[in-house]
C-alpha cells in the first residue's frame, strides 16, 4: 500500500524559509549602509510657509534590486513546488501508484465566487480535497490569523501570480520607496513635556497636552512614495529653518524595497511561508 510521504514538500518549504533568511540579511545590510541613502533637499514654498523636501540624489541600487528579484523568484517557486509536491503525494496515494494523468496533478486553485461551482478534482481522495479546499481563495481568510500590506490578496493567488510571472515572463518587479528619514533640526527648543536636566532628558507626562509653540508640522499627503530624483518626500513647517529659500543636504532617506502594490518584500514572503506551512501541517494531521 502506497502511503503519503511529505518529506519532499517539507524540504522545499524549509529551503524557501532559509532563502528568506538570506534575503533579510541582504535587506538589513542595505538598511545599515550609508552608501545606499538618498540625499534630501528642502525648498521654501513662500505661499504656504512650508519647506518642500525632495530627493536630490539617489543611490545606485541596481544590483541590489536584481539580487532581491532573483531571490524572491527562488523563494516563491520553492513554495509553489512545496504545494505541488504535496499534491503529488496525495494523488499517488489515491491512485495507489502513478496517477492516470500525472501532468494534470498540481495544487489546484479554487477561486469560485457565490453561485459558481467549486472545483473538485478526481485525483484526490474526497477527504483530502476537503482539507485543501479550506485553504483556497474561495474561502478567504477562513478564520486563520493573517496580516498583509496593500490591498488584500489571498496567499495562494499572490503566490501563483509571483511564481508564474517569474517563470514565464520576467523577474519579479521590486520598487524602491524612501523611508527612515533623518533631517537636520527643524523645531525650536524641546516640547513642553520634555525637560533637559544635568543627567539628560526627563519626560514630563503631566504636560503632554500643553501647547507646543516650537513644534514643526509634517505633511506627507503629496508624496508619491518613490525613490527618484525630484520626488517629493514631505512638506514641513519648520520654525528652526525660518525663511531659508533652499537648504541643500537637509537630510537623508534609506530605501525600502517593495513588491507590486507597495507590499514589503520580507514581510510579504514571510506571509506566504507561513501559509504553505499551515497547509502542510493541516494535511499531515488530518489526512496521514
Amino acid at each position: 500500500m502506497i502511503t503519503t510521504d511529505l518529506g519532499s514538500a517539507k524540504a522545499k518549504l524549509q529551503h524557501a524559509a532559509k532563502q528568506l533568511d538570506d534575503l533579510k540579511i541582504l535587506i538589513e545590510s542595505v538598511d545599515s549602509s550609508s552608501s545606499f541613502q538618498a540625499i534630501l533637499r528642502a525648498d521654501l514654498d513662500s505661499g504656504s510657509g512650508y519647506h518642500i523636501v525632495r530627493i536630490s540624489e539617489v543611490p545606485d541600487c541596481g544590483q541590489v534590486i536584481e539580487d532581491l528579484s532573483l531571490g524572491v523568484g527562488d523563494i516563491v517557486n520553492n513554495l509553489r513546488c512545496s504545494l505541488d509536491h504535496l499534491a503529488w503525494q496525495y494523488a499517488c496515494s489515491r491512485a495507489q501508484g502513478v496517477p492516470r494523468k500525472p501532468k494534470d496533478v498540481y495544487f489546484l486553485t479554487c477561486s469560485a465566487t457565490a453561485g459558481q461551482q467549486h472545483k473538485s478534482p478526481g485525483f484526490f481522495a474526497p477527504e483530502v480535497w476537503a482539507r485543501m479546499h479550506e485553504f483556497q481563495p474561495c474561502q478567504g481568510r477562513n478564520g486563520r490569523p493573517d496580516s498583509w500590506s496593500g490591498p488584500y490578496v489571498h496567499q495562494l493567488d499572490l503566490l501563483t501570480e509571483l511564481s508564474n510571472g517569474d517563470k514565464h515572463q520576467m523577474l519579479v518587479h521590486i520598487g524602491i520607496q524612501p523611508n527612515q528619514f533623518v533631517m537636520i533640526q527643524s523645531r525650536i527648543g524641546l516640547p513642553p513635556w520634555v525637560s533637559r536636566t544635568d543627567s539628560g532628558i526627563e519626560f514630563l507626562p503631566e504636560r503632554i497636552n500643553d501647547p507646543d509653540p516650537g513644534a514643526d508640522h509634517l505633511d506627507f499627503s503629496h508624496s508619491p512614495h518613490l525613490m527618484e530624483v525630484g520626488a517629493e518626500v514631505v512638506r514641513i513647517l519648520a520654525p528652526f529653518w525660518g525663511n531659508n529659500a533652499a537648504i541643500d543636504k537637509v537630510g537623508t532617506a534609506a530605501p525600502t524595497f517593495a513588491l507590486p502594490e507597495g507590499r514589503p518584500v520580507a514581510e510579504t514572503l514571510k506571509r506566504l511561508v507561513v501559509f504553505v506551512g499551515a497547509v502542510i501541517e493541516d494535511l499531515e494531521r488530518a489526512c496521514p
Side-chain angles (χ1 to χ4, degrees):
M1 179 178 178
I2 295 179
T3 59
T4 54
D5 179 3
L6 303 186
S8 178
K10 291 179 181 179
K12 283 288 188 180
L13 171 62
Q14 291 167 0
H15 190 53
K18 181 182 181 301
Q19 290 173 316
L20 177 55
D21 288 339
D22 293 340
L23 207 66
K24 289 178 180 177
I25 292 174
L26 173 59
I27 294 173
E28 289 168 0
S29 71
V30 172
D31 289 342
S32 61
S33 174
S34 59
S35 61
F36 289 104
Q37 293 178 340
I39 305 301
L40 306 179
R41 169 191 170 94
D43 293 285
L44 179 65
D45 176 46
S46 57
S48 65
Y50 278 73
H51 279 84
I52 302 177
V53 179
R54 296 185 176 90
I55 296 174
S56 60
E57 296 179 31
V58 177
D60 181 6
C61 296
Q63 187 59 56
V64 175
I65 291 175
E66 183 175 297
D67 291 343
L68 285 175
S69 186
L70 289 168
V72 171
D74 290 341
I75 292 167
V76 297
N77 290 327
N78 273 318
L79 292 175
R80 182 70 239 189
C81 285
S82 178
L83 292 177
D84 289 340
H85 286 203
L86 174 87
W88 176 256
Q89 286 297 316
Y90 281 106
C92 288
S93 178
R94 169 72 162 173
Q96 283 300 289
V98 177
R100 187 167 59 89
K101 295 182 178 180
K103 292 184 179 180
D104 291 344
V105 177
Y106 62 96
F107 194 90
L108 296 171
T109 300
C110 180
S111 301
T113 57
Q116 293 182 329
Q117 184 175 358
H118 293 259
K119 290 182 179 180
S120 182
F123 48 77
F124 295 133
E127 64 272 16
V128 169
W129 176 245
R131 299 307 307 179
M132 290 183 181
H133 199 243
E134 292 296 308
F135 292 90
Q136 295 295 323
C138 63
Q139 305 288 349
R141 294 176 62 186
N142 204 8
R144 292 185 300 275
D146 188 16
S147 60
W148 64 90
S149 299
Y152 172 77
V153 60
H154 189 274
Q155 295 99 319
L156 189 54
D157 281 334
L158 180 58
L159 176 58
T160 301
E161 176 186 341
L162 292 173
S163 178
N164 286 347
D166 179 79
K167 287 191 296 184
H168 304 300
Q169 297 171 350
M170 59 185 298
L171 294 178
V172 176
H173 176 73
I174 303 291
I176 315 179
Q177 300 175 353
N179 196 15
Q180 299 177 8
F181 310 108
V182 177
M183 288 189 284
I184 63 174
Q185 180 181 344
S186 57
R187 59 166 296 130
I188 296 176
L190 296 172
W193 52 88
V194 175
S195 174
R196 194 182 302 278
T197 66
D198 293 339
S199 58
I201 298 294
E202 180 182 1
F203 176 58
L204 307 174
E206 68 276 6
R207 300 195 60 187
I208 193 68
N209 293 317
D210 285 6
D212 185 10
D216 51 18
H217 298 277
L218 305 177
D219 177 8
F220 291 94
S221 63
H222 301 275
S223 173
H225 304 292
L226 297 175
M227 181 79 92
E228 58 183 35
V229 173
E232 181 175 328
V233 173
V234 64
R235 299 187 181 194
I236 179 170
L237 188 62
F240 191 74
W241 297 357
N243 292 319
N244 286 309
I247 307 175
D248 290 323
K249 296 185 177 179
V250 74
T252 60
T256 291
F257 301 101
L259 295 166
E261 298 183 288
R263 304 179 194 277
V265 171
E267 292 82 353
T268 300
L269 293 175
K270 179 64 176 179
R271 179 180 179 232
L272 299 182
V273 168
V274 170
F275 172 76
V276 173
V279 174
I280 295 175
E281 181 180 353
D282 184 81
L283 266 293
E284 185 176 40
R285 181 182 62 252
C287 305

